[in-house]
């Protein structure tokens, strides 16, 4: 709970979402992007569409898997170093989290930021976002929680939040989600994040590092088949929302690490020649043809820091686990300070 400084009034108790900004893409946008991806060669779908309600639930399950080291290692880093991170962030910051999901990692930070001006979770899954934001607002009744439903991978008019008094904007981007962008897309995202953070702002970001390929492969091919279900749910979402006729039994999950490009590729593979329909549009598949659903790039830390520097960020601090699997980096917009 926040305690007022001498001469400062006590902060009010909220316990609910203060305001909600709905910038969610329309169903027409979803249909347009799905058709464009399935009619090109090779076929592909953006990973942002994984996260309908069921997809978000499945991803939460993935994060609990033994093979999926990313969440476990990053959470450990946050737990060990959150107090130090909070000292960099300082008092009365505006915390903006892209791809906020369930908010479990966020709580680790919030426990060390009692004077936070406001928390702004940004996510494309509206139902999941509102549920997580409501739960978090109830858990932190003195915190302003202002969710934004938006596709942050595209150009968006970010709310200015000038109704809040804050000293600094801090962009929080955990989960190594930066790896879902191609390197040019990652640079575009980092440039946009610098614009959102503004001079004096910070970026706290999770980055998955290059390591033994067998460790990486296992993380995307779990023995319980949860990642496969998560991948296939994308087709179920297209069936439900666009009236398509994908037979999920005729597709299988495939994921592999490509060391030449430093990325995991995730695909859905057609088990046989078939034709799928979305409304009046027929989409043919050859046997063995794939839909490329996700890339997950792994970085050398030095390469990532150079990319951050090119996009307006200055390294402040980096925390890594003992095995060198994962890093959480703190960067400032164009300057060094403490």
């Amino acid at each position: 709970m926040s305690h007022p400084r001498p001469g400062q009034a006590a902060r009010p108790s909220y316990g609910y979402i203060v305001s909600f900004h709905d910038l969610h893409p329309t169903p027409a946008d979803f249909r347009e992007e799905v058709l464009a991806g399935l009619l090109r060669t090779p076929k592909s779908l953006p990973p942002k569409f994984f996260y309908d309600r069921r997809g978000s639930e499945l991803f939460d399950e993935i994060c609990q898997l033994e093979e999926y080291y990313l969440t476990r290692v990053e959470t450990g880093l946050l737990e060990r170093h959150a107090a130090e991170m909070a000292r960099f962030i300082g008092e009365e910051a505006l915390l903006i989290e892209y791809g906020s999901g369930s908010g479990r990692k966020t709580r680790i930070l919030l426990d060390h930021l009692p004077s936070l001006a406001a928390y702004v979770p940004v996510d494309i899954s509206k139902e999941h976002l509102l549920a997580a934001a409501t739960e978090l607002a109830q858990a932190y009744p003195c915190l302003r929680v202002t969710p934004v439903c938006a596709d942050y991978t595209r150009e968006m008019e970010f709310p200015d939040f000038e109704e809040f008094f804050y000293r600094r904007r801090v962009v929080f981007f955990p989960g190594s989600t930066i790896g879902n962008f191609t390197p040019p897309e990652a640079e575009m995202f980092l440039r946009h994040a610098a614009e959102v953070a503004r001079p004096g702002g910070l970026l706290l970001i999770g980055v998955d590092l290059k390591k033994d390929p067998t460790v990486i492969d296992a993380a995307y091919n779990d023995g319980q088949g949860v990642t496969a279900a998560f991948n296939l749910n994308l087709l179920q979402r297209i069936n439900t929302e666009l009236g398509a006729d994908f037979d999920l039994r005729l597709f299988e999950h495939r994921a592999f690490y490509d060391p030449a490009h430093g990325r995991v590729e995730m695909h859905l593979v057609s088990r046989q020649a078939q034709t799928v329909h979305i409304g009046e549009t027929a989409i043919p598949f050859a046997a063995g043809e794939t839909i490329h659903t996700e890339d997950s790039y792994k970085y050398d830390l030095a390469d990532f820091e150079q990319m951050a520097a090119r996009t307006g960020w200055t390294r402040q601090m980096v925390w890594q686990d003992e095995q060198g699997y994962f890093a959480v980096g703190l960067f400032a917009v164009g300057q060094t300070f403490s």
Side-chain angles (χ1 to χ4, degrees):
M1 179 172 290
S2 173
H3 299 285
R5 298 190 302 275
Q8 180 188 41
R11 298 182 71 190
S13 176
Y14 297 91
Y16 59 89
I17 293 173
V18 176
S19 60
F20 173 63
H21 298 262
D22 191 355
L23 309 177
H24 190 275
T26 67
D29 293 333
F30 178 46
R31 180 185 179 85
E32 180 180 343
E33 287 198 59
V34 165
L35 285 174
L38 294 178
L39 292 173
R40 70 167 58 101
T41 303
K43 294 178 170 64
S44 65
L45 290 170
K48 64 188 178 186
F49 292 141
F50 281 132
Y51 300 98
D52 64 349
R53 182 173 183 175
R54 180 56 181 156
S56 296
E57 292 170 350
L58 285 166
F59 185 71
D60 286 346
E61 290 183 35
I62 289 171
C63 291
Q64 306 304 313
L65 295 170
E66 180 63 28
E67 299 98 326
Y68 198 75
Y69 63 86
L70 296 90
T71 301
R72 181 175 63 257
V73 175
E74 184 179 32
T75 299
L77 288 170
L78 290 170
E79 289 173 343
R80 288 194 294 276
H81 302 289
E84 186 179 5
M85 295 171 185
R87 286 195 294 272
F88 276 97
I89 291 170
E91 295 187 347
E92 297 176 327
L94 181 71
L95 184 67
I96 301 164
E97 181 177 2
Y98 288 117
S100 53
S102 65
R104 290 192 182 98
K105 296 170 189 171
T106 315
R107 291 176 181 237
I108 301 171
L109 272 185
L110 293 181
D111 287 343
H112 292 82
L113 294 168
S115 65
L116 201 65
Y119 169 59
V120 182
V122 184
D123 206 286
I124 196 172
S125 178
K126 184 174 181 178
E127 289 185 11
H128 199 64
L129 171 66
L130 286 172
T134 300
E135 183 179 334
L136 193 143
Q138 292 169 349
Y140 297 85
C142 292
L143 177 66
R144 294 181 178 92
V145 179
T146 306
V148 175
C149 184
D151 177 4
Y152 62 83
T153 68
R154 303 177 68 176
E155 286 293 324
M156 55 176 277
E157 190 66 32
F158 200 82
D160 58 29
F161 297 114
E162 296 307 320
E163 69 270 24
F164 299 142
F165 169 78
Y166 59 87
R167 298 180 184 276
R168 173 181 296 161
R169 289 185 173 199
V170 180
V171 174
F172 184 38
F173 198 40
S176 75
T177 310
I178 190 70
N180 293 148
F181 297 112
T182 66
E185 290 170 343
E187 293 205 14
M188 288 179 60
F189 171 83
L190 290 172
R191 290 184 193 280
H192 176 68
E195 293 172 358
V196 169
R198 299 178 176 176
L202 293 173
L203 170 69
L204 188 64
I205 186 168
V207 182
D208 196 19
L209 303 176
K210 292 181 178 179
K211 61 186 69 66
D212 182 347
T214 60
V215 174
I216 298 174
D217 274 327
Y220 295 84
N221 293 283
D222 64 276
Q224 299 178 52
V226 182
T227 308
F230 172 72
N231 201 7
L232 286 161
N233 182 69
L234 178 53
L235 303 185
Q236 182 58 55
R237 179 185 181 184
I238 295 171
N239 283 350
T240 302
E241 297 186 24
L242 300 182
D245 59 1
F246 280 101
D247 185 340
L248 273 61
R249 297 169 299 180
L250 300 182
F251 289 85
E252 64 182 7
H253 164 76
R254 180 185 297 167
F256 58 91
Y257 181 60
D258 175 2
H261 292 92
R263 71 187 181 204
V264 172
E265 290 188 19
M266 199 153 76
H267 296 258
L268 289 165
V269 186
S270 179
R271 296 176 181 270
Q272 63 183 46
Q274 58 180 307
T275 300
V276 174
H277 300 85
I278 300 178
E280 300 297 319
T281 304
I283 303 164
F285 285 84
E289 188 175 4
T290 77
I291 307 171
H292 189 171
T293 54
E294 185 179 59
D295 284 327
S296 185
Y297 282 83
K298 313 304 174 186
Y299 284 94
D300 287 321
L301 186 55
D303 291 342
F304 184 83
E305 290 181 0
Q306 289 173 10
M307 180 171 68
R310 290 195 300 272
T311 56
W313 296 99
T314 300
R315 178 189 188 274
Q316 303 296 296
M317 183 69 70
V318 173
W319 298 271
Q320 293 186 69
D321 63 291
E322 292 179 356
Q323 293 175 290
Y325 279 9
F326 201 95
V328 177
L330 183 74
F331 298 83
V333 178
Q335 60 181 348
T336 301
F337 64 93
S338 59

